[in-house]
Every structure is written in C-alpha cells, then in structure tokens.
C-alpha cells in the first residue's frame, strides 16, 4: 500500500515535471517563431512533438489539449513565415542564404507542411520566364525541332543558374530534379 502510494506520487511528480517542460517548450517555440529563429524553432518543435507523445492518452485534459493546439498554431505561423521568407529573400542570395537554409531545415521539423509549397513556389518562380518566353499564343508559328532545342537550351541555362541555390536547399529535396519535372509538366500542358 505504501509502495503503491510512493509509486503514484513519483509518477505524478514525473508527469507534472514533463508538463512544465512541455509548457516551457511551447513558450520557447513561440519566442523562436516571433524572432524568426528557424534553427531553434526546429529544435523546439521536435521537443514539443516528443513531449506531446508522452501525453497522447491525456489529450482530453484541457491544459494538454490547449498546449497541443497552441503548438499546431505556432507551426502554422512558422510555415507562413517561412513561405514569406522565401518570397522576400530568394532573389537576395548570397546575403539571405543562411536564413533560407535554416528555414529549410526547420521545415523538416514542422512535419513537412510547407515543404511542397516551397518547392513548387521556387520552381514556378524560376520557370516564369519560360512561360513568358515560350507562350503558346505568341509561338504559333514556332514548332518543331528548332523550338525544342531552344526550350532545352533554356532549361540547361536555368539549371546552371540554379546551382547558386545549392546551399539553400538540402540535397535530399532534389530541387534540380523537381525543377525538371515542373519544366516537363509545362511542356506537356503548352
């Protein structure tokens, strides 16, 4: 009986300690998101996710549920901030290189929610001149092998130019491959 009481008290103290750590992690995440400290935010997200796993069976408790909801809201705000960071700073390389790289690494920690958005947006950004150059409405009389060669020469130049982004995107993202896929999709649709 006394052993059960001691075990219950120990379990309660451990749970309350973990709850305090979770609360602190969510508060730290909030500060990191506000300060756009992506590397630190990534660590905080990982810590929050690990701690929330310990409390999965207690999601019905309002305080734990509120912390989980707040973490999700902060992750959404972080994803929006990262997306805006790319829109504002991709053209300012190499000055913004470290910030964008940290944003990419943070994106892994946030569960990949804006991973596809960043890849798609960056490829669209790089392929926009292609859309303007090879607009089917203006290119009615230009079809055939010559036009195909021009298109692939254009892609080759874009891929060479894209090498300046090597230090922004993690290699596992396969950005050049993804850029080629988007290019071929635009070929099919035009």
């Amino acid at each position: 009986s006394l052993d059960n009481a001691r075990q219950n008290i120990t379990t309660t103290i451990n749970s309350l300690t973990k709850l305090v750590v979770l609360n602190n992690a969510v508060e730290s995440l909030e500060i990191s998101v506000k300060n756009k400290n992506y590397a630190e935010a990534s660590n905080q997200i990982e810590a929050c996710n690990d701690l929330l796993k310990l409390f999965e069976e207690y999601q019905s408790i309002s305080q734990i549920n509120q912390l989980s909801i707040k973490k999700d809201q902060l992750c959404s705000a972080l994803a929006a901030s990262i997306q805006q960071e790319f829109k504002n700073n991709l053209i300012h390389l190499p000055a913004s290189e470290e910030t964008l790289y940290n944003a990419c690494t943070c994106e892994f920690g946030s569960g990949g929610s804006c991973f596809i958005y960043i890849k798609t947006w960056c490829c669209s950004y790089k392929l926009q001149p292609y859309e303007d150059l090879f607009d089917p409405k203006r290119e009615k009389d230009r079809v055939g092998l010559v036009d195909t060669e021009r298109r692939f020469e254009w892609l080759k130049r874009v891929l060479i130019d894209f090498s300046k982004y090597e230090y922004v995107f993690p290699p596992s993202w396969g950005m050049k491959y993804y850029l080629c896929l988007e290019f071929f999709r635009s070929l099919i649709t035009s």
Side-chain angles (χ1 to χ4, degrees), residues 136-189:
K137 294 172 189 146
R138 294 185 326 172
E139 296 285 322
K140 287 180 183 174
D141 56 329
R142 292 193 157 223
V143 276
L145 193 57
V146 175
D147 191 43
T148 303
E149 287 177 13
R150 279 183 52 227
R151 291 171 188 252
F152 281 96
E153 282 299 319
W154 182 89
L155 175 63
K156 185 177 171 183
R157 286 191 304 273
V158 168
L159 289 172
I160 290 169
D161 181 58
F162 203 78
S163 64
K164 70 182 176 188
Y165 301 106
E166 283 179 355
Y167 301 107
V168 171
F169 300 105
S172 61
W173 283 30
M175 285 301 289
K176 285 185 177 181
Y177 170 78
Y178 197 74
L179 183 67
C180 288
L181 282 178
E182 291 301 311
F183 173 79
F184 292 125
R185 277 193 193 115
S186 68
L187 274 179
I188 292 169
T189 59

Side-chain angles (χ1 to χ4, degrees), residues 8-30:
N8 288 340
I9 289 173
T10 303
T11 303
T12 302
I13 290 171
N14 286 339
S15 295
L16 287 174
T17 302
K18 290 174 186 172
L19 184 59
V20 168
V21 171
L22 174 61
N23 188 51
N24 290 341
V26 170
E27 287 176 3
S28 295
L29 175 60
E30 185 173 21

Side-chain angles (χ1 to χ4, degrees), residues 59-183:
Q59 285 293 322
S60 61
I61 298 172
S62 65
Q63 290 86 351
I64 293 171
N65 192 34
Q66 287 172 353
L67 287 172
S68 179
I69 290 170
K70 186 173 183 179
K71 188 226 68 153
D72 291 341
Q73 290 171 340
L74 290 169
C75 286
S76 295
L78 183 66
S81 177
I82 288 171
Q83 292 167 4
Q84 195 60 45
E85 198 77 54
F86 270 87
K87 287 180 180 179
N88 293 341
N89 292 317
L90 196 62
I91 58 173
H92 299 300
L93 291 178
S96 60
E97 190 174 283
E98 185 178 351
T99 301
L100 294 178
Y101 178 77
N102 286 336
C104 286
T105 57
C106 180
E107 212 287 315
F108 286 122
S110 66
S113 60
C114 67
F115 168 69
I116 292 173
Y117 174 86
I118 290 171
K119 286 176 71 170
T120 305
W121 181 85
C122 289
C123 289
S124 295
Y125 171 77
K126 292 304 287 178
L127 291 175
Q128 185 58 48
Y130 171 81
E131 302 290 334
D132 297 338
L133 256 168
F134 296 99
D135 182 10
K137 294 172 189 146
R138 294 185 326 172
E139 296 285 322
K140 287 180 183 174
D141 56 329
R142 292 193 157 223
V143 276
L145 193 57
V146 175
D147 191 43
T148 303
E149 287 177 13
R150 279 183 52 227
R151 291 171 188 252
F152 281 96
E153 282 299 319
W154 182 89
L155 175 63
K156 185 177 171 183
R157 286 191 304 273
V158 168
L159 289 172
I160 290 169
D161 181 58
F162 203 78
S163 64
K164 70 182 176 188
Y165 301 106
E166 283 179 355
Y167 301 107
V168 171
F169 300 105
S172 61
W173 283 30
M175 285 301 289
K176 285 185 177 181
Y177 170 78
Y178 197 74
L179 183 67
C180 288
L181 282 178
E182 291 301 311
F183 173 79

